[in-house]
Amino acid sequence: MKVSIQQGDVVIGYAILDATDPPMGVASGKFEPTSAYDSQRHAYFVDEAHADRTVTPPLTAHSDKFGAIECAGVGIEDFRSMMEGIEVTLLGIPYPDYETFFSSYDAYKAYWK
């Protein structure tokens, strides 16, 4: 599922999410930042250090197909200096929304076999 990641009304990047941990409602994917993204303001992990910060307003995820994605939180891990890229994770997507978003994905189907 393709989503935009926003802080308030500002799009800071995009991601294509996969069903990472269905029972916990976790989805994640490679994060593609826009020019509005700032790792020091938006990422909670930068390289190997925990940033230990609260992003205000919090990050949100939005899908063209489903609108705002309800979840417990959105987190960005930025490991670009280690050549590992940037990942975004959505935590606690509730059921049945999670099933609606990912029921056609192979990872989701494989988990529930």
Side-chain angles (χ1 to χ4, degrees):
M1 169 176 61
K2 184 174 182 178
V3 296
S4 62
I5 305 300
Q6 297 179 207
Q7 183 181 35
D9 292 333
V10 178
V11 175
I12 63 166
Y14 298 93
I16 296 177
L17 301 177
D18 289 318
T20 310
D21 187 349
M24 298 301 290
V26 178
S28 62
K30 182 180 176 186
F31 179 75
E32 297 293 336
T34 66
S35 60
Y37 171 73
D38 177 359
S39 65
Q40 298 304 309
R41 288 184 29 226
H42 299 123
Y44 74 98
F45 269 84
V46 179
D47 300 324
E48 293 184 24
H50 186 277
D52 195 24
R53 69 173 133 287
T54 301
V55 178
T56 307
L59 302 179
T60 57
H62 302 263
S63 161
D64 286 344
K65 183 174 181 180
F66 301 108
I69 305 299
E70 180 185 348
C71 66
V74 176
I76 296 174
E77 297 174 325
D78 191 328
F79 297 113
R80 286 181 291 181
S81 72
M82 298 168 42
M83 306 302 284
E84 294 182 27
I86 312 172
E87 293 286 320
V88 64
T89 303
L90 276 63
L91 303 170
I93 300 169
Y95 177 85
D97 292 349
Y98 195 96
E99 184 177 33
T100 299
F101 301 152
F102 297 106
S103 63
S104 65
Y105 285 64
D106 290 338
Y108 183 84
K109 289 178 185 177
Y111 184 84
W112 292 108
K113 279 187 177 182

